[in-house]
Amino acid sequence: MTSQARVTNSHAPTGNIIRDSALGLVPETLGNYMDLNRQLWEGGPLSPAEIEIARIRNARKVNCVFCKSVRYDIAQEDGLSEDRVQMIDDDYEQSNLTDREKLILAFTDQYLNDPAGLDSALKERLRQVFTPQELVHLSMVVAFFNGFSRCAVAIGGMPDELPVMTISVPQ
């Protein structure tokens, strides 16, 4: 991880953590991405806690320091505690997460490692637990967060670690 940013935002701070980042240098497109972010959190069939589980798993796999440190308030309000977040590690199968939550992690890992390589057993388990709409939503969530976390890592400028911080879905 590099603590030297490749790109920085020199504009006056707005108080919005995303708009104040280097992503704020392209406000013409950032607004659309933030609208999609809000729709993914608020408009789909998955719960905020389920979305957060996939988002945090992606962050840990990509090693985005910022994304690993963020907790969305709506996921916390939906019941995702920090104790549960700590179970989103490589030993999640032995954790107290629900079977549905474990499947979200298994799907996220598969999506990040080899999206075309879903074996028949995982496909069947996913079909038994999730509706087709939920699976599409989960795919979109992982794709969106993976793209943004990779962008953050590529831009650089992150410290080695950050404290856990709670934010709201950006407006």
Side-chain angles (χ1 to χ4, degrees):
M1 190 69 50
T2 177
S3 59
Q4 182 66 36
R6 292 170 193 81
V7 180
T8 58
N9 186 341
S10 60
H11 296 124
T14 66
N16 180 295
I17 198 164
I18 294 174
R19 289 187 192 282
D20 292 344
S21 74
L23 298 174
L25 292 172
V26 286
E28 307 81 14
T29 58
L30 183 58
N32 294 324
Y33 287 110
M34 291 174 71
D35 288 344
L36 177 56
N37 182 41
R38 189 170 38 264
Q39 281 299 319
L40 289 172
W41 279 102
E42 299 172 354
L46 295 176
S47 74
E50 292 171 332
I51 292 168
E52 185 77 326
I53 287 169
R55 189 193 67 77
I56 291 172
R57 183 61 174 180
N58 167 74
R60 291 182 177 178
K61 288 293 198 174
V62 175
N63 197 24
C64 177
V65 174
F66 176 77
C67 299
K68 290 190 302 186
S69 300
V70 165
R71 306 292 182 267
Y72 279 90
D73 60 355
I74 61 174
Q76 292 171 326
E77 292 164 10
D78 193 38
L80 187 62
S81 67
E82 196 60 27
D83 287 341
R84 295 189 73 66
V85 167
Q86 295 311 310
M87 294 180 212
I88 305 171
D89 62 17
D90 289 338
D91 295 325
Y92 70 84
E93 284 290 346
Q94 285 70 44
S95 75
N96 288 328
L97 293 171
T98 68
D99 288 340
R100 184 174 168 98
E101 292 166 337
K102 290 175 184 178
L103 271 174
I104 289 170
L105 296 174
F107 175 85
T108 301
D109 285 354
Q110 186 64 53
Y111 186 101
L112 297 174
N113 295 328
D114 180 15
L118 244 63
D119 65 43
S120 57
L122 180 55
K123 283 181 192 177
E124 184 57 31
R125 288 175 49 215
L126 289 165
R127 287 184 184 135
Q128 289 176 358
V129 175
F130 296 95
T131 67
Q133 293 84 0
E134 289 172 326
L135 288 172
V136 169
H137 190 210
L138 181 57
S139 297
M140 292 173 69
V141 161
V142 176
F144 181 81
F145 292 127
N146 185 252
F148 264 82
S149 60
R150 287 181 182 275
C151 180
V153 170
I155 290 170
M158 287 188 271
D160 291 332
E161 60 183 70
L162 287 168
V164 171
M165 61 187 109
T166 301
I167 66 170
S168 298
V169 175
Q171 300 296 316

